[in-house]
Structures are given as C-alpha cells and as structure tokens.
Amino acid sequence: MIRFALSLLLAASLWGTGPRAVEGGALPRSTPEAQGVDSAGVRAFAEAADDQVQEMHSFMLLRHGKVVAEGWWGEEGPEKPHILWSLSKSFTSTAVGLAIADGKFGLDDKVVSFFPDAAPAEPSANLKAMRVRDLLTMSAGHESEPKLTPDGVWVRQFLAQPVPHEPGTVFRYNTPATYMLSAIVQKTTGQTVRDYLQTRLFEPLGIERPRWDESPQGESIGGYGLFLTTEDIAKFGQLLLQKGQWNGKQLVPAEWIAQATAKQVENDEAPSAGNPDWRQGYGFQFWQCRHSAYRGDGKDGQFCVVLPEQDAVVVMTAQTRTLQTQLDLVWKHILPALHDEPLPENPAAADKLKATLTGLQASAKTAPPAEPFLAPPQHVGPPEETAHGLSSRKFQGIPSLAVAPGGRLWANWYAGPTAGEDQNNYVVLSTSDDDGATWAEALLIDPDGPGPVRAFDPELWLAPTGRLYAFWAQAQGHDGTVSGVWCVHTNDPDAARPSWSAPRRLTDGIMMCKPTVLSTGEWVLPASTWRKTDDSARLIVSADQGETWTLRGACHVPTEVRSFDEHMLVERTDGSLWMLVRTNYGIGESVSTDRGKTWPELTPSQIAHPSARFFVRRLDSGNLLLVKHGPIDERTGRSHLTAFLSEDDGATWTGGLLLDERSGVSYPDGQQTDDGLIRVIYDYSRTGARQILTATFREEDVAAGEAVSGEVRLRQVVSDASAAR
C-alpha cells in the first residue's frame, strides 16, 4: 500500500488546551477526550486508513459539534476544495427541500409538468406518472441510466429514455435523475442550485462561493460537480445532525432533513447492493448505513457520515476504489472510540497519536509502494518527442478505438523503443477531428520510462454517460497475475485537448476488450489474470457508473488450453451471458444463466480461429458483429481480417466482408456510431511496418460480403512508425 504524507492539523484537537474560538466561520475545536473520544481509536483509524485505503486525502471527526481530529495526506490541505462527485447529490436534495418549503413545487408533482416542451409527443404512462419523489429516491422507473451527452439537451435526453418500471417501485442508481432535480429547482426558482443555495446554505455556514460544474444548458449538474473543502463538508454534516439549525437559525426545515435522511425505499436487491452499506435503504439522495447512521457519498471515497445516536460526523475524501473499506474502518475504530461521557485527558495517548502521524508523514516522503506496478504512472500528459516520438518506436500495436458523441475519433495502442513487449512499453492516445483523414497524438501514459513497469494492452470506451475512458494494464514483466487495470477519463471527449482525470487502479489483472453494459445498467469489465491462475476470465462489475468495482464471477479455462483469455461478453436476448475466450485452440465459450455469478468450465466454440484476439459487439439493429481471421469454420493464421453478422445471438453467422487479407494483421476493436457507421481498428506488423489502421463500413456491407453502401473505406492509416530507425 502506498503511504501518503499526512499533514495533521490537530493542534488544540489533540494536544492543545481546549476549544478555541470560532473565527471566520470555522468550527470549534476540542481535544478528543473532552468530547468522549478515545485518542487511541483515532490513531488506529489513521494507521489503518493509511495502510488499507488506496489513497486517502483527508478526514475530519466531529463530536458534539466540535472538531476533535482532522488530517490531510500528501498535497491535500484544509484550504483546498475537493471534488465531491456524488456527494453533491445530498446538497441538491437540500435545495429541493428548500424550494418545496418556499412553495415552488411539491414532492408529488409530475416531472413532465415542468418540461412539457421537452417531453416526447406521446409520453408513456410511466413517464407521465414519474414524480419529484421518484427522482429523489432513485426509483424513477428506468432499467438503466439515461445517456446524457456533452452536446445534447439533457432534459430532453432524460425524458426520451424508456421507463419500463412503474415509478417508485424499483431502485436503480440514477445520476441523471439528480440532474433533473437540479433542472426543476432552476426552472421554478430562476436560479441554479448553486446560486439558490448561496444565501440559504453556503453563506450562513461560512462556505465561500463554491464551484459547481454545469450542464450544457447552464444548470448545476446536481448529481456531481460540486467542490468543497473538508471542513465545508463537515459543516454540512453538523447542520444535518442539528436538524437544520445553525447559530440559532433554522436554515433547512427539520421535517425535510428527517424525511431526506430516513429510509424511503429498499435497495437490497438493486445492482448496487453488493456491499453491506449499500443495501441498508435509501432516502432523498442519502444512503442509509449500518449502526443507524446515514451518509452522502461520492465516487473515489468522498463521505459525509452522520451518526445521530453518537452525535458525531465523520468526513473523508480520497482517490480510491475501496469505499466499503473506508466505512468498515469507521465502524471498527471510530465507532468504539465514541463514549457517552467525557474521558480523562490522556497525554500519553495523544503523544502516541502524534508520533504515529508524524511517522506516517516521514515514511510517505521516502517509502515506495510495496510493488512498483501499484504506483500511478509517472507521465500522463503530452508525448515527449525524445522519449516517445514516432521516429524512436521499434514496436507498436494492440489498438482500440472510440468515437465521441460529436464525432471526434480517438485511438490508442501501446508502443516502445525496443522491438518487443517489455519494460519500455507505454500507451499512446491519438485523435482525429476530420473523420480519420489526419491524426494527432494527444496523450501518453508511461509508468516509469525504462522500467521495470510497463503500460500495455490499452482499451478505449465511450460510456453511456458520454464520458470517454482510456484503460490500460500496468505490470512488471509478462504476467497477468501481477498486474492491474488502470484508467483515466474525460468528460469532454470532443475537445482536441480535453482535461483528464487522475489515473486510478480499478482491479487486478489485464483487460484487453471493451466493457459491456448489461440490461440492468451494470457495467462489466472483462479482466483476466491470465495463464497462471484458475478462474482467470473474470467479470468485474460496477453498479454505480464506474465509481466502485467488484468481482461478480469468473470462468475456469482448463490449464492445457490457457492463453491470454482476452474474453468478450454478449448479453443474449434470453438474459444469459455468453463469454467467448481466446485459447490455444482458438475460441472457447461458456454461458452464465445467473448474471455472471457462476460459469461452466470453458469448452470449444463453433467459431474456428487462431490464438489471437477477435472482436464481437451487438449492433444497434440487434444483430451481432464478429471480426475474426478467415472464414467462420476455418482456422487461418493472423490474416484475412473479416467481418460477419449473426441474427440469432451467435448460433449462425452470415456475410463476410474482407477488411485486410495481409499476413500480420491482428487485434481488431471498434465501435458503431448512432448513424450506423461501423469503424474497426487493428494493427499490422507490430515490429515491421508498425502500422495502426482502420476500416469503415456499414452493416449492409457485411451482410452482402462486399461494398454496397458506398461508404466502405479500408486500410486507413492512423499511425505509421515504419520509418523509425
């Protein structure tokens, strides 16, 4: 586990002389023992969080309205606003409560009544029945989240989504539903949620005007996008604990806080209910927790946990995928440290806590991660010509492709200055704004230059949210058991130079194929631990749009036929999941009938193929597209890259559009865009010609086995490193 420098500003909190005066809107401070908090428990929490949480950024503990412990790791600090991600939702809920109290609308008002011009011409009965209450409780009736794109009209896109369930009956985590709450507040008050809360909430709490990102139409996004300091979050938690009162004034109606933070719907059977604190029930944009607590939370480990029975608030910010671990540490260490009465002052315990935290700070400056491949890459930015220039590449291949909502093309692959798959490998992202006529390399990911860590097997994916993800594997050597799937993302994939998130590690293993979105709305990563482990072809599932990932199940590939798995998933029309896996003999298959929890052992499929990656994806028509080497029933070498169609969920295949017949073509990947155009990317001669190419066509071309649409374009060059020395 990587240790991070902890700048703990405990001052009076741990070894001072008692509470200090409130200045500039700051919360009062106290020693832990004076408020009935055992310093040893706080120390145990800090040590465990530093050791077990991937990247803690801050925490703050309030007891009886006073800060008794506060800390920041690494470059974080008390004045630095932190992105809240979905913790923003709880603030949007507060704005809704205030607007209802102001008489602007009611809980049971119909959603379409606010936006009659944006609704479909003939809205379904379920859409017409959808209420504000249903948006608040994540039970709007959708099976999967509506797709909101950077260039779309978000209200219209939300209302266009099918609503198969009766609103109020099925919990499905739904960030666009929170956006709709924000849009309703703005529609009825004439102010964004941020502006509406400015005088009613932020200013009274002493929170400076915060940043809150906006939709393309200028509304606060609502479901995410708010930035606050750790103490700002703590003030909000204390306001909730005080039932809306602050300095003698009722800022938020107590009745609203009671409703919002109580269980309004069950969520124990929802796709998001994998961890114990995610199946305790849901309120109005607040999660119920174990131990009679409730919380607002957000992606990567942002928490505001309120414990009414203990009169305490715990705030945490982080950059991690282990959100349940954070809560488990609160229950294990903080909760038992909270006593009903003040404790005797304990200078020895305070000194130990101070020494522990000082030791963490010192170790963070020098201690490397336990394994170098667990560290974030050192370079995530524009390519450096000397180290990464095209003229220096002796290897490049294994590409992926994605198309942004506005049409910008993105491609990635991995490369290196030596003619092999070794510690010199790095990942390249390139982009085109002229439909592939020209390309420019825009981002490069390099773990540590000459090694020992390599970045390889990248993948691009445009999520249903419109967010573009760039995945890659990071490992030492050529072993999937000591590797991990990493990613960065951008919310603006149509920009030539978009801003990218910080890199984060999602799971163990390697992912060489695109994620799949199931009919439940869950996202599935096909990650593999390769040849040295049983049950290597794994499903890593997210039920919250990529905020957290958990292992759902895995298929066992017999030892004697194992290769690199490179498995792909298809959800069949009967609800079963069909897994296709690369093996030594070609393509194996397995079918799960319980949403991927269990899988029969892999057996040979009817699709003949060399031991190489293939590509399968469901098209907008409902048919399956398969890109493989050679005819369906013939095992060729890595040549004759050909596209086929299936109208019966893979039982039979027809067509056969030849994309590139040359020996040395391999590793297809692709995407179909809303206009029906299909783009496939592949490599050719990774250490010879060193080319990345695309083929563009339509479904009718595949069905006919020849170019009939007038839009077939083959062997379009994305990158050519053949001139490298």
Side-chain angles (χ1 to χ4, degrees):
M1 171 55 59
I2 303 170
R3 292 186 179 270
F4 295 85
L6 181 60
S7 173
L8 198 78
L9 305 182
L10 288 171
S13 304
L14 283 179
W15 36 82
T17 58
R20 62 181 174 83
V22 179
E23 297 177 359
L27 291 165
R29 265 64 177 173
S30 171
T31 61
E33 277 72 20
Q35 305 305 321
V37 181
D38 184 356
S39 290
V42 179
R43 176 168 62 92
F45 170 82
E47 290 178 338
D50 187 72
D51 183 59
Q52 298 177 38
V53 179
Q54 184 178 358
E55 185 177 334
M56 281 287 286
H57 287 174
S58 72
F59 88 96
M60 183 174 283
L61 173 61
L62 276 66
R63 187 81 194 283
H64 305 321
K66 296 179 174 62
V67 178
V68 298
E70 55 190 314
W72 287 264
W73 275 254
E75 299 300 319
E76 304 299 319
E79 304 302 324
K80 182 178 179 181
H82 198 286
I83 187 168
L84 301 195
W85 293 111
S86 288
L87 178 51
S88 308
K89 291 178 170 70
S90 300
F91 289 83
T92 301
S93 170
T94 303
V96 171
L98 289 169
I100 289 175
D102 286 347
K104 301 299 183 181
F105 55 88
L107 269 176
D108 294 314
D109 286 356
K110 302 299 191 293
V111 174
V112 292
S113 70
F114 298 100
F115 310 104
D117 295 338
E122 297 182 4
S124 67
N126 283 343
L127 177 58
K128 290 191 289 186
M130 189 189 300
R131 304 163 297 175
V132 171
R133 181 189 305 273
D134 303 321
L135 300 178
L136 285 163
T137 57
M138 299 286 185
S139 57
H142 298 118
E143 182 59 35
S144 58
E145 288 191 313
K147 180 179 179 180
L148 308 182
T149 62
D151 59 345
V153 179
W154 284 11
V155 168
R156 191 178 302 278
Q157 289 179 326
F158 180 92
L159 296 176
Q161 179 82 358
V163 186
H165 303 292
E166 179 185 353
T169 63
V170 177
F171 178 90
R172 288 288 186 272
Y173 194 77
N174 194 331
T175 294
T178 314
Y179 157 73
M180 290 296 288
L181 293 169
S182 174
I184 289 170
V185 170
Q186 183 160 335
K187 182 81 170 182
T188 56
T189 68
Q191 294 179 287
T192 65
V193 163
R194 184 190 68 171
D195 291 345
Y196 187 63
L197 290 178
Q198 184 62 33
T199 57
R200 292 167 173 82
L201 184 75
F202 295 141
E203 288 180 5
L205 294 183
I207 298 174
E208 295 185 8
R209 185 174 179 84
R211 168 185 166 186
W212 200 327
D213 294 340
E214 295 184 347
S215 73
Q217 286 70 52
E219 303 107 343
S220 299
I221 290 175
Y224 59 93
L226 179 61
F227 291 72
L228 293 175
T229 68
T230 304
E231 186 160 348
D232 292 340
I233 303 169
K235 291 176 182 177
F236 180 63
Q238 187 63 32
L239 176 73
L240 297 170
L241 197 56
Q242 295 171 180
K243 301 180 180 179
Q245 285 196 351
W246 196 261
N247 289 337
K249 296 181 180 179
Q250 192 72 41
L251 300 186
V252 183
E255 297 81 3
W256 177 260
I257 291 178
Q259 280 186 290
T261 61
K263 183 193 292 187
Q264 297 291 338
V265 293
E266 298 287 349
N267 62 354
D268 56 336
E269 295 184 359
S272 55
N275 292 313
D277 282 296
W278 273 260
R279 53 175 180 260
Q280 303 300 315
Y282 196 77
F284 291 163
Q285 308 284 288
F286 288 89
W287 295 88
Q288 299 295 295
C289 303
R290 291 174 290 170
H291 308 291
S292 301
Y294 62 85
R295 72 184 189 276
D297 72 22
K299 172 186 169 182
D300 295 343
Q302 324 317 318
F303 283 101
C304 180
V305 183
V306 180
L307 298 96
E309 293 182 358
Q310 291 77 22
D311 194 28
V313 176
V314 180
V315 174
M316 295 176 283
T317 66
Q319 175 78 36
T320 183
R321 58 192 175 92
T322 54
L323 278 71
Q324 184 63 62
T325 298
Q326 290 174 271
L327 290 176
D328 289 344
L329 295 178
V330 171
W331 310 143
K332 182 177 180 180
H333 299 293
I334 297 292
L335 190 61
L338 305 177
H339 298 269
D340 293 337
E341 301 294 334
L343 301 175
E345 292 298 331
N346 191 340
D351 288 344
K352 287 182 180 179
L353 176 56
K354 182 177 181 179
T356 297
L357 297 171
T358 302
L360 293 177
Q361 186 174 16
S363 68
K365 297 176 181 177
T366 58
E371 298 286 353
F373 74 91
L374 294 173
Q378 294 178 10
H379 181 91
V380 180
E384 297 176 349
E385 181 59 32
T386 301
H388 310 122
L390 194 65
S391 62
S392 68
R393 293 178 196 162
K394 300 296 180 62
F395 173 96
Q396 66 172 10
I398 307 186
S400 180
L401 176 142
V403 186
R408 176 174 289 276
L409 306 183
W410 288 91
N412 69 357
W413 59 91
Y414 78 90
T418 54
E421 302 176 13
D422 57 28
Q423 73 276 6
N424 297 290
N425 296 146
Y426 51 81
V427 169
V428 181
L429 272 75
S430 188
T431 186
S432 171
D433 64 355
D434 54 11
D435 200 26
T438 60
W439 291 81
E441 294 184 0
L443 189 73
L444 191 132
I445 300 164
D446 191 347
D448 55 2
V453 181
R454 59 191 293 248
F456 61 109
D457 290 355
E459 189 66 51
L460 285 170
W461 182 55
L462 186 72
T465 58
R467 175 178 286 176
L468 177 66
Y469 285 85
F471 302 92
W472 71 94
Q474 205 162 282
Q476 291 169 252
H478 207 262
D479 187 350
T481 61
V482 288
S483 61
V485 179
W486 289 72
C487 80
V488 294
H489 69 259
T490 179
N491 293 323
D492 190 15
D494 277 301
R497 292 289 187 271
S499 60
W500 296 88
S501 68
R504 64 182 182 125
R505 191 177 190 271
L506 304 181
T507 187
D508 294 337
I510 294 165
M511 186 188 79
M512 299 181 67
C513 303
K514 276 183 166 43
T516 300
V517 179
L518 303 182
S519 59
T520 59
E522 296 168 303
W523 298 359
V524 180
L525 299 183
S528 169
T529 48
W530 280 10
R531 295 168 290 184
K532 292 186 178 181
T533 55
D534 294 340
D535 302 315
S536 57
R538 307 188 307 162
L539 276 74
I540 310 298
V541 178
S542 174
D544 52 13
Q545 293 192 321
E547 292 192 16
T548 58
W549 297 89
T550 56
L551 175 64
R552 169 70 57 82
C555 179
H556 179 65
V557 181
T559 305
E560 63 275 12
V561 301
R562 288 178 190 164
S563 182
F564 299 102
D565 290 352
E566 297 171 5
H567 52 299
M568 297 192 185
L569 294 167
V570 172
E571 183 176 15
R572 289 174 158 171
T573 54
D574 63 2
S576 64
L577 300 182
W578 183 33
M579 181 189 291
L580 297 174
V581 183
R582 173 185 171 181
T583 67
N584 289 341
Y585 57 72
I587 300 177
E589 66 178 356
S590 182
V591 176
S592 172
T593 57
D594 57 6
R595 312 305 296 166
K597 295 178 183 177
T598 60
W599 295 84
E601 184 172 276
L602 199 75
T603 57
S605 74
Q606 298 301 309
I607 304 171
H609 204 249
S611 182
R613 188 172 79 173
F614 49 92
F615 177 70
V616 63
R617 207 73 174 169
R618 193 172 294 280
L619 300 176
D620 291 342
S621 65
N623 296 332
L624 295 180
L625 171 73
L626 172 67
V627 181
K628 66 175 293 288
H629 295 286
I632 285 291
D633 57 357
E634 180 180 336
R635 183 179 185 184
T636 66
R638 293 191 179 187
S639 66
H640 294 84
L641 208 58
T642 308
F644 297 90
L645 291 174
S646 175
E647 298 179 352
D648 52 13
D649 267 356
T652 61
W653 297 90
T654 59
L657 179 66
L658 181 62
L659 306 182
D660 198 325
E661 76 283 359
R662 294 175 293 176
S663 177
V665 294
S666 66
Y667 275 64
D669 181 78
Q671 180 182 325
Q672 183 183 37
T673 47
D674 290 342
D675 60 2
L677 206 61
I678 301 168
R679 292 177 175 85
V680 168
I681 194 168
Y682 60 97
D683 61 35
Y684 171 59
S685 185
R686 296 174 192 167
T687 59
R690 286 159 275 176
Q691 289 183 336
I692 309 297
L693 305 108
T694 62
T696 304
F697 51 91
R698 291 189 174 274
E699 187 172 346
E700 54 262 39
D701 301 310
V702 182
E706 60 181 347
V708 296
S709 68
E711 297 187 65
V712 174
R713 291 174 289 167
L714 304 179
R715 296 193 189 181
Q716 297 174 278
V717 176
V718 175
S719 180
D720 185 340
S722 60
R725 296 185 296 275

